[in-house]
Amino acid sequence: MRSWLRCSDLGLAEQRPPALQPLTDSELRLLHQRHDALRRLCRPELEMLAGEARDTMSVVVLADGDGMILDTIGDAGFASRAAEVALRPGVSWKEASTGTNAIGTALAERRAIAVNGSEHFFPDHRVLSCAATPIIDPRGALIGALDLTGPSTHGHGHALGLIRLAVDQIEHRLFRRHFQDCRLLRFHSDPAMLGTSREGILVFREEGLVAGNRRGLSLAGLSWDALDDASFETILSVEEPSRDGLLLRLSSGAYAVGQWNTDHAAARGSDLDLVARPVEPRPAMTREEREVAAIRAALSAHGGNVSKAARQLGLHRSTIHRYRKQGLV
């Protein structure tokens, strides 16, 4: 219902579907170049889900953080049918372009969602049954979405669970990158989950929380807004060593078992290099001018919310406030 209301507010009309023009071949190649790191990161899960997709007459879809489809893989016959309703690489499936659909709505809601048949905003898309989960980096920025789509005439009750598991694995691998001068805490209420994609992860620079995954924030009772605000001592305390690791007491009163991992301490969001970068040279700009332009765009995209803009850019909020004091943003 929230999605349909957003579509109406955007001026979309159910009986007037937009004409969706895919990118040209050259434009698509540039798009792939800009998102090369994301595509390589997600390749194992795309290949793994491809077999499931072929068995269920479905396709696996990878989109960027703006809902632009990068890749589809799976059943060739259904892929051709999906292309007839513009579910193909080089087409935007954000809500503003394509109405209520799993990819666009998952990105808008920042959570996993299934959209089946008549739940789609536009009638042409009601032949689809889709499940998607957004891919979120350790600083809380949306970097993409993974989707499994099949015909609405078939049951796909397992699709959302498969996609969630795949995205858990993708996001878990993001923490293999080295975060300079940080400590990475892996923890869970069940010691058997340590080292798996189900573990919680929080990253601290000195005593401040600078990154994490969704499960870690959830276990600690935090949201993405806690980044750069919360400190170690306000989140948890170390009770004592245990056979399985450190016995942790969370601020909620719950207990968990954790392990420090200094070898994979967390990098700044900008170090992840998963947000699309332009592949063609731009007119010469100073570093300050580039930062100002990026901050202005991020603030505009998030309605002036400094915390959300900082997370998207991988900056500390003090950087944005500094430019504001100078009257540059």
Side-chain angles (χ1 to χ4, degrees):
M1 179 61 72
R2 286 195 300 271
S3 177
W4 276 54
L5 289 173
R6 285 194 297 268
C7 292
S8 295
D9 290 342
L10 288 166
L12 301 180
E14 184 181 349
Q15 300 304 324
R16 295 199 308 272
L20 299 172
Q21 295 297 325
L23 300 179
T24 64
D25 290 344
S26 60
E27 290 171 333
L28 184 58
R29 283 194 296 272
L30 291 174
L31 180 71
H32 282 166
Q33 290 177 42
R34 288 199 298 272
H35 291 287
D36 181 64
L38 176 64
R39 296 175 73 216
R40 285 187 285 107
L41 175 72
C42 299
R43 178 53 56 182
E45 282 65 38
L46 286 175
E47 296 292 348
M48 180 269 293
L49 289 169
E52 174 69 24
R54 294 186 188 101
D55 290 342
T56 56
M57 297 175 56
S58 306
V59 291
V60 188
V61 181
L62 175 65
D64 69 13
D66 198 38
M68 183 69 75
I69 295 180
L70 302 174
D71 295 295
T72 61
I73 186 172
D75 181 78
F78 181 73
S80 297
R81 291 174 54 195
E84 294 175 1
V85 291
L87 186 67
R88 54 177 291 188
V91 177
S92 172
W93 275 66
K94 62 182 179 182
E95 284 185 339
S97 303
T98 327
T100 303
N101 70 90
I103 293 171
T105 304
L107 290 170
E109 296 273 333
R110 293 178 63 92
R111 66 182 180 89
I113 193 164
V115 177
N116 300 308
S118 60
E119 294 172 343
H120 288 85
F121 188 80
F122 290 117
D124 286 351
H125 301 151
R126 294 171 188 171
V127 298
L128 306 174
S129 179
C130 314
T133 297
I135 305 168
I136 300 179
D137 81 2
R139 289 282 296 170
L142 289 169
I143 59 174
L146 195 63
D147 168 272
L148 186 61
T149 291
S152 60
T153 53
H154 290 55
H156 299 276
H158 62 291
L160 195 58
L162 287 174
I163 290 295
R164 280 173 166 163
L165 178 59
V167 170
D168 278 348
Q169 294 169 340
I170 291 168
E171 293 179 348
H172 193 258
R173 285 202 302 280
L174 287 171
F175 290 91
R176 292 180 181 177
R177 296 168 178 265
H178 293 279
F179 282 66
Q180 299 174 352
D181 305 322
C182 295
R183 296 185 300 162
L184 188 151
L185 180 66
R186 302 177 182 274
F187 68 105
H188 201 281
S189 56
D190 181 355
M193 294 294 103
L194 293 178
T196 73
S197 62
R198 306 293 289 174
E199 69 184 355
I201 299 177
L202 296 178
V203 180
F204 298 90
R205 177 172 287 113
E206 296 179 350
E207 294 301 310
L209 179 67
V210 296
N213 67 357
R214 282 181 275 195
R215 190 164 301 278
L217 293 170
S218 176
L219 288 170
L222 302 172
S223 70
W224 293 107
D225 289 334
L227 298 186
D228 303 323
D229 270 346
S231 63
F232 180 87
E233 63 180 10
T234 64
I235 299 172
L236 49 83
S237 60
V238 179
E239 295 289 303
E240 59 186 35
S242 73
R243 182 182 62 183
D244 300 302
L246 300 172
L247 180 62
L248 308 173
R249 181 180 174 87
L250 306 178
S251 58
S252 64
Y255 285 90
V257 173
Q259 298 174 348
W260 286 110
N261 186 341
T262 55
D263 290 335
H264 295 80
R268 306 172 185 226
S270 57
D271 294 336
L272 295 174
D273 199 27
L274 284 166
V275 178
R277 310 295 181 195
V279 297
E280 295 181 344
R282 296 182 175 220
M285 297 175 68
T286 67
R287 179 178 178 180
E288 182 179 77
E289 288 171 335
R290 290 196 299 271
E291 282 192 346
V292 167
I295 290 170
R296 285 175 176 168
L299 286 171
S300 176
H302 295 290
N305 187 301
V306 172
S307 295
K308 291 181 178 179
R311 284 202 303 274
Q312 175 184 321
L313 297 171
L315 299 174
H316 194 278
R317 288 175 303 171
S318 62
T319 302
I320 297 179
H321 288 307
R322 173 165 55 83
Y323 281 126
R324 275 191 162 176
K325 287 180 180 179
Q326 297 173 8
L328 297 176
V329 297

